[in-house]
Amino acid sequence: MANKKKIATLSISSILLVAMVVALTIGTREDDKTDGSDRQDLSSSSKAIQTICQSTDYQETCVDTLKSSDKDTDDPKELIELAFEAAVKYIEEAAKNSTVLQKLQSNPRAKSALIAAAS
């Protein structure tokens, strides 16, 4: 069980690392698909957000989440940190609302296993 947990943690960490590298790479290059008139209408922060969210599956959610943050920045590193903070928040909410996890909480053995896995 411990080996599976280590492998799962390593896999998730690797995926997040690759996502960060890809996002940073995309964030530092020019967006060739947008013409000049569109670029003039966007602030530098909006341009950076558009660039970072361009490679995501849920672009609109990504843009909305980053634009709604309190920080007005065009620094790709800060935007990626904001994206990860938002992802953690959404994951925590999903875990709280998960009917499967709620059912497991009612079983003492399953609850103990969940606590052990979270540690």
Side-chain angles (χ1 to χ4, degrees):
M1 181 75 173
N3 285 338
K4 287 183 181 181
K5 181 180 174 186
K6 288 179 184 178
I7 290 171
T9 303
L10 182 60
S11 299
I12 291 171
S13 299
S14 299
I15 290 169
L16 290 175
L17 179 62
V18 169
M20 287 176 56
V21 169
V22 169
L24 282 173
T25 303
I26 290 171
T28 57
R29 70 179 179 151
E30 283 282 87
D31 179 13
D32 295 332
K33 295 180 182 176
T34 307
D35 66 292
S37 63
D38 288 342
R39 288 177 186 269
Q40 292 172 351
D41 295 334
L42 298 173
S43 71
S44 61
S45 177
S46 293
K47 286 183 205 176
I49 290 170
Q50 291 288 342
T51 302
I52 286 177
C53 293
Q54 175 184 347
S55 64
T56 64
D57 290 338
Y58 301 97
Q59 293 176 8
E60 188 176 331
T61 302
C62 177
V63 170
D64 292 344
T65 300
L66 293 178
K67 282 186 176 181
S68 68
S69 74
D70 293 336
K71 287 188 176 182
D72 186 28
T73 181
D74 61 354
D75 180 24
K77 284 185 179 183
E78 288 184 35
L79 290 170
I80 290 170
E81 286 176 14
L82 290 171
F84 277 101
E85 289 171 10
V88 168
K89 180 180 148 190
Y90 284 121
I91 290 169
E92 287 173 346
E93 284 183 35
K96 285 179 190 175
N97 296 326
S98 169
T99 56
V100 172
L101 291 177
Q102 289 173 1
K103 286 179 184 177
L104 290 174
Q105 290 283 340
S106 64
N107 180 327
R109 290 181 68 191
K111 186 174 182 175
S112 295
L114 287 172
I115 291 170
S119 316

